[in-house]
Amino acid sequence: MPLLKFILLGLLSAFIFLAFALIFSWGRWISPSIETANSLLLFLPAAAGRIILPSVTSGLLFTYFSYRNNRMNPAAVILTAGAAFAVLFFGYRFTAAMTYNQDAVAFQPFNERKLHSTDTGIIYTDRIDAEDSSAIDGIIVRKTDSDLPGFKYYEEGRLTGGAEPALNLGDGRTIDVRPSNPVFNSTFSAESLLSGFTADIELLNIVMKKSAVSDEIQYLVLTAVLTSFLMACLLFRGATVWPLLDFMIILALHRLVFYLFAFVSNETDFISETLFGGTAPGNIPMLSLAACTVLIVLFGMLSKALGPNARSRRTA
């Protein structure tokens, strides 16, 4: 039964994604210069909010691609869609209520007698106080835009900001440390294509969680639109004679639509002023997602009508 298979595959995907998200979050805040180790459970609230959409998506994809027959019982499709809606609705609502205390993270981005490459420039730290890890002695800074040689020495500095650190220097100057963990940043940085995809999903996660705690009606509609989009993409299963190509087409649709959603979300004010004179007819990102869903449904139905399975039925 598709509904039961979706629940089981969704739960399995959730456990796998959660394990990777916890290990990733924990690994990003490893600090060899301090002895305190962070607990994996400290990152549970942040990790839980990131796995809702990937788990539902994986559950739906693996459920539908596990059946050879492209035609499924309409009742089973409706029940599966209802289950996906329920997981998204209650999942984001539950994780939005969880609190993540960044200040509790034991973290020191610098190592003793090491050069650290940051967006601001090169930072060298000589000694970190054993009793107070936020106190740093012997700091050399060379900013990216400095003239050669451009090195400046500070006898001491103090680290503030917890998981979003900043280095306060002796002359009153403050340098934001980006990336937050310069020692291990390259280890946990994804390739450009994957990092863009994950960044767009993360923005959608933020929008969903904010809506879950602020506007119940909008959240209900947004969840319904997101569920409709995920189900509409499944129409492309059977669009070609190669299931793997169908799978890649669906993932490409996810990548494109999530990118458009992120773009519209970031440019909402500009779009509202340009197209609607400052008075938008509704939630522009949600409307854009709904419009994409309608287009995908139309093209999906067209692919079903012209696809290899339709041609084989006509030939028979």
Side-chain angles (χ1 to χ4, degrees):
M1 184 178 181
L3 175 60
L4 180 59
K5 185 173 289 188
F6 164 70
I7 294 173
L8 293 176
L9 290 173
L11 286 174
L12 178 61
S13 300
F15 282 120
I16 294 174
F17 283 126
L18 182 61
F20 276 104
L22 286 174
I23 294 172
F24 176 82
S25 299
W26 178 81
R28 286 185 64 195
W29 306 121
I30 290 178
S31 302
S33 56
I34 59 177
E35 296 180 356
T36 305
N38 296 303
S39 169
L40 276 176
L41 295 179
L42 179 63
F43 304 98
L44 180 60
R50 295 189 178 103
I51 68 167
I52 304 300
L53 179 58
S55 300
V56 172
T57 301
S58 297
L60 288 174
L61 286 175
F62 289 122
T63 296
Y64 276 71
F65 276 86
S66 66
Y67 289 93
R68 293 183 179 181
N69 184 10
N70 290 324
R71 298 176 64 86
M72 296 184 65
N73 187 340
V77 174
I78 294 174
L79 288 174
T80 305
F85 173 86
V87 174
L88 290 171
F89 184 85
F90 293 106
Y92 278 114
R93 213 169 186 189
F94 176 75
T95 56
M98 302 174 70
T99 57
Y100 170 46
N101 185 10
Q102 282 192 337
D103 295 333
V105 177
F107 177 59
Q108 167 57 259
F110 300 121
N111 284 347
E112 293 185 341
R113 294 181 292 280
K114 295 287 185 179
L115 290 171
H116 307 86
S117 178
T118 68
D119 294 345
T120 305
I122 303 297
I123 301 176
Y124 172 84
T125 53
D126 183 56
R127 192 179 73 86
I128 298 172
D129 194 309
E131 297 181 356
D132 183 4
S133 61
S134 62
I136 303 173
D137 297 328
I139 303 169
I140 299 176
V141 178
R142 186 191 183 280
K143 289 195 172 182
T144 305
D145 56 354
S146 298
D147 296 330
L148 293 175
F151 293 99
K152 193 167 183 180
Y153 175 76
Y154 299 89
E155 289 187 4
E156 59 183 9
R158 178 164 288 275
L159 197 68
T160 60
E164 297 180 355
L167 183 61
N168 297 328
L169 301 172
D171 59 356
R173 186 174 303 176
T174 299
I175 297 178
D176 292 330
V177 182
R178 291 190 300 266
S180 299
N181 196 340
V183 177
F184 296 101
N185 178 66
S186 59
T187 304
F188 293 95
S189 294
E191 295 297 328
S192 57
L193 179 63
L194 182 59
S195 63
F197 196 7
T198 54
D200 294 339
I201 293 176
E202 181 63 20
L203 178 61
L204 180 56
N205 287 335
I206 293 173
V207 171
M208 291 293 292
K209 287 192 287 187
K210 285 184 177 179
S211 180
V213 297
S214 61
D215 190 333
E216 187 168 351
I217 299 300
Q218 177 177 294
Y219 176 60
L220 183 67
V221 175
L222 184 56
T223 306
V225 172
L226 181 57
T227 305
S228 300
F229 163 73
L230 295 177
M231 297 300 297
C233 289
L234 298 175
L235 290 172
F236 287 87
R237 175 182 174 271
T240 70
V241 295
W242 301 287
L244 181 59
L245 181 57
D246 297 341
F247 195 90
M248 298 303 295
I249 290 173
I250 293 174
L251 289 182
L253 288 173
H254 287 188
R255 176 70 183 100
L256 175 62
V257 172
F258 291 155
Y259 171 79
L260 291 174
F261 183 87
F263 175 79
V264 172
S265 298
N266 292 326
E267 302 295 335
T268 298
D269 293 337
F270 175 77
I271 295 174
S272 178
E273 289 290 339
T274 304
L275 299 181
F276 305 105
T279 306
N283 187 308
I284 295 179
M286 184 172 63
L287 292 175
S288 67
L289 182 59
C292 290
T293 301
V294 172
L295 290 176
I296 289 173
V297 169
L298 294 177
F299 280 105
M301 294 174 64
L302 184 63
S303 72
K304 289 291 186 184
L306 302 178
N309 294 293
R311 290 196 296 269
S312 63
R313 287 195 299 270
R314 288 196 296 268
T315 303

